[in-house]
Amino acid sequence: MSKILKRHEVDEATTWDVTSLFKDETLFEAELVSVVKDVETVLQYKGKLHEDAEHLFGAIKTLETLQERLVRLSTYAMLQISADGTNPTHQANAAKVSANFAEIAGKLAFFEPEILSIDETTIHQYMEEEQQLQPYKKMLQDILAKKPYTLLPEVEEVLASLSDVLDAPYMIYERSKSSDMTFKSFVDVLGNTRPMSEALYEDEYEMATRSNVRKLAYDRFVETFNRYKNTYAATYATEVQKQVTLSKVRGYDSVIDMLLHEQQVTKEMYENQLHVIQEELAPHMRRLAKLKEKIYQLDNIRFCDLKAPIDPDFEPTISFEEAEKNIIASLEPLGIEYSAIMKKAFSDRWIDYASNVGKQSGAFCASPYGAHPYILLTWTGNARGMFTLAHELGHAGHFYLANEHQTLFNTEPSTYFVEAPSTMNELLLAEHLMKETDDPRMKRWIISVLLDTYYHNFVTHLLEGAFQQRVYTLAEEGVPLTADVLCEEKEAVIRNFWGDTVELDKGAGLTWMRQPHYYMGLYPYTYSAGLTVATAQLQKIKREEDNAIHRWLEVLRAGGTKKPVDLINMLEIDMTTTAPIKEAVAYVGKLIDELEKSFAP
């Protein structure tokens, strides 16, 4: 590849079709104007929610209908700017949505405080009188749980009207990365000039088989991030201070308590994930690092070498079409309904896999209610990308089913569970590929990619969670979160995990700049929780336990109708204990045992 294409130069077949949301810009603009006016349909209930069950149901249903429209608008604008953040029209649409939504949020801020002003006994009475309120039982319970932390209605209205300002740190971070951050190309030892971007680094160069390519790309990566560290530190520090301030104003004991309350997760469950994995997984991962050091004949394994493939002479490539066939086949055990959803994702252009200037790095799945899911990733031909695609399709399948079987307000489960369906698809893909080959090297490759999934969730994101914990503690102690402080804390977390097994340079400390997850509350650690659940459930499926697949699909359809502990209990898995976490860590240890055996003389 001599250059990275601009958006208008890529093949349309490799992009998603956003016309299921809005056929064109004119319809988007008209709907944005219309929805601002239609806020009045909800405001007519202001001050009347307490009157009777009919008014309460009418308000909830009208708000839900309005929210469906808002979701479509916000998703459309988000998809555009994610696909090409350099496009002025996309930037303008995102700004318009943000500004209008802030105004709308301010007007709708009366809703929760007004419900909280109703006596709990009265709400239960209304639910008995009006059966149509039953689907909103959990929603109402969740609102009531916020009562001790809800401010005066006029204060809540002001905070809601400032939502675009309060969300500005994330917007600035994403806009800067997609539109301003550029990387210089580099020349490898063979004299080839290689283009450089964050997506290329994360999807290709970081896993290059040649040590010099990994190092040269890493140096370019660090060089660029280093230029932005002070700006991003100020941006992230603002986000952290916002969360700390809100937690104090609302009366939480700490910012961690506030963010866990949103997830409906106990502090013990949160700390179990952080502590058990860091303490018990580190020895296994250090063994993996030493194995790679030996394979590559390195004097010391460096931070930039950690994602090097385990077998440098065996790195399969694959076309997008071949990846599609493998994924579809691997998910057939989940049944006809689920398989049909996966096939539609490919046939109906739910997936944007082009590589172009201005495209957001990484991968995500957006699932707007009333429309189909949308998946973003950058396809490089590396077979590992097949697992990323399977992961995002897991999110798509989950929310497609939830959206079909639940009302909008009941679709989203806690983020504590949300990564279980995505990682389950990765595990099922690995199982399928294992059964399809007799080649020892291919089997070894599959194990190594499976370990990449655990590395991603149990190391990368788990250590992000550990870093967050440190940062929030410092902020609450009044320590200024400068670039140097953030880099030092990130490096300390990484060093604590890897010990003296891995040679760290100052660039390792800059990795706090790579992920947008820090702007999403306590999201990073939940990757490990989701994969823990998926690992336990996979074993049940492999053992062919009665109704294991049926229960799994029922949980996906349940959406957000239950708290995460209750949702996972439907699978007969108890996440209030450390047992599932320890079992998952032990499973990782066994995978590493298999790799070590495969290289034994």
Short mmCIF file of all heavy atoms in Angstrom, two decimals, residues 184 197 203 241 255 381 402 432 447 450 469-470 507 514 561:
data_model
loop_
_atom_site.label_atom_id
_atom_site.label_comp_id
_atom_site.label_asym_id
_atom_site.label_seq_id
_atom_site.Cartn_x
_atom_site.Cartn_y
_atom_site.Cartn_z
N LYS A 184 4.12 10.16 10.66
CA LYS A 184 5.06 10.10 9.56
C LYS A 184 5.25 8.65 9.11
O LYS A 184 5.20 7.73 9.92
CB LYS A 184 6.42 10.67 10.00
CG LYS A 184 6.41 12.15 10.32
CD LYS A 184 7.79 12.59 10.78
CE LYS A 184 7.79 14.07 11.16
NZ LYS A 184 9.13 14.49 11.67
N SER A 197 -0.43 4.90 10.43
CA SER A 197 -1.62 5.46 11.07
C SER A 197 -1.84 4.66 12.35
O SER A 197 -1.23 3.61 12.55
CB SER A 197 -2.85 5.35 10.16
OG SER A 197 -3.25 4.00 10.03
N ASP A 203 -3.39 -2.76 14.00
CA ASP A 203 -3.88 -3.94 13.28
C ASP A 203 -2.79 -4.68 12.51
O ASP A 203 -3.01 -5.81 12.08
CB ASP A 203 -4.99 -3.53 12.29
CG ASP A 203 -6.22 -2.97 12.99
OD1 ASP A 203 -6.41 -3.31 14.16
OD2 ASP A 203 -6.97 -2.21 12.36
N GLN A 241 -11.93 15.23 36.50
CA GLN A 241 -12.40 16.21 37.47
C GLN A 241 -13.90 16.37 37.41
O GLN A 241 -14.58 16.56 38.43
CB GLN A 241 -11.73 17.56 37.23
CG GLN A 241 -11.92 18.56 38.37
CD GLN A 241 -11.49 17.99 39.72
OE1 GLN A 241 -10.36 17.50 39.85
NE2 GLN A 241 -12.36 18.03 40.71
N VAL A 255 -15.86 8.63 43.56
CA VAL A 255 -16.22 8.57 42.15
C VAL A 255 -16.40 7.11 41.71
O VAL A 255 -17.26 6.80 40.88
CB VAL A 255 -15.18 9.29 41.28
CG1 VAL A 255 -13.83 8.60 41.32
CG2 VAL A 255 -15.65 9.39 39.82
N GLY A 381 -6.38 -7.64 6.07
CA GLY A 381 -6.05 -8.94 5.49
C GLY A 381 -5.40 -9.89 6.47
O GLY A 381 -5.22 -11.08 6.18
N ALA A 402 -31.99 -8.20 21.51
CA ALA A 402 -32.56 -7.39 22.58
C ALA A 402 -33.53 -6.36 22.02
O ALA A 402 -34.63 -6.15 22.56
CB ALA A 402 -31.46 -6.71 23.38
N HIS A 432 -14.22 -23.58 16.37
CA HIS A 432 -14.51 -24.04 15.00
C HIS A 432 -13.23 -24.24 14.20
O HIS A 432 -13.06 -25.27 13.54
CB HIS A 432 -15.42 -23.02 14.30
CG HIS A 432 -15.56 -23.26 12.83
ND1 HIS A 432 -16.33 -24.28 12.31
CD2 HIS A 432 -15.00 -22.62 11.76
CE1 HIS A 432 -16.26 -24.25 10.99
NE2 HIS A 432 -15.46 -23.26 10.63
N ILE A 447 -4.44 -21.05 19.01
CA ILE A 447 -4.25 -20.87 20.46
C ILE A 447 -3.66 -19.50 20.74
O ILE A 447 -4.07 -18.80 21.68
CB ILE A 447 -3.34 -21.97 21.04
CG1 ILE A 447 -4.06 -23.32 21.01
CG2 ILE A 447 -2.95 -21.64 22.48
CD1 ILE A 447 -3.18 -24.50 21.40
N LEU A 450 -6.28 -16.87 20.32
CA LEU A 450 -7.18 -16.96 21.47
C LEU A 450 -6.55 -16.26 22.67
O LEU A 450 -7.22 -15.53 23.42
CB LEU A 450 -7.48 -18.42 21.78
CG LEU A 450 -8.65 -18.74 22.71
CD1 LEU A 450 -9.93 -18.06 22.25
CD2 LEU A 450 -8.84 -20.24 22.78
N GLN A 469 -8.31 3.36 38.42
CA GLN A 469 -8.45 3.33 39.88
C GLN A 469 -7.41 4.25 40.53
O GLN A 469 -7.73 5.02 41.44
CB GLN A 469 -8.28 1.89 40.39
CG GLN A 469 -8.64 1.68 41.84
CD GLN A 469 -8.47 0.23 42.26
OE1 GLN A 469 -7.45 -0.39 41.97
NE2 GLN A 469 -9.47 -0.33 42.92
N ARG A 470 -6.19 4.20 40.05
CA ARG A 470 -5.12 5.06 40.58
C ARG A 470 -5.41 6.54 40.29
O ARG A 470 -5.24 7.40 41.16
CB ARG A 470 -3.78 4.70 39.94
CG ARG A 470 -3.14 3.42 40.45
CD ARG A 470 -1.95 3.05 39.58
NE ARG A 470 -1.21 1.92 40.11
CZ ARG A 470 0.03 2.00 40.60
NH1 ARG A 470 0.66 3.15 40.64
NH2 ARG A 470 0.64 0.92 41.06
N GLY A 507 7.84 5.15 26.37
CA GLY A 507 6.68 5.10 25.49
C GLY A 507 5.55 4.29 26.07
O GLY A 507 4.37 4.55 25.78
N ARG A 514 -4.20 5.96 24.19
CA ARG A 514 -4.66 5.19 23.04
C ARG A 514 -6.16 4.92 23.02
O ARG A 514 -6.75 4.81 21.96
CB ARG A 514 -3.91 3.85 22.96
CG ARG A 514 -2.47 4.00 22.56
CD ARG A 514 -1.72 2.68 22.59
NE ARG A 514 -2.19 1.74 21.58
CZ ARG A 514 -1.55 0.61 21.27
NH1 ARG A 514 -0.43 0.30 21.89
NH2 ARG A 514 -2.04 -0.19 20.36
N THR A 561 -33.26 -6.07 31.05
CA THR A 561 -34.41 -6.26 31.95
C THR A 561 -34.01 -6.72 33.35
O THR A 561 -34.86 -6.77 34.24
CB THR A 561 -35.41 -7.28 31.35
OG1 THR A 561 -34.71 -8.51 31.09
CG2 THR A 561 -36.01 -6.76 30.07
#
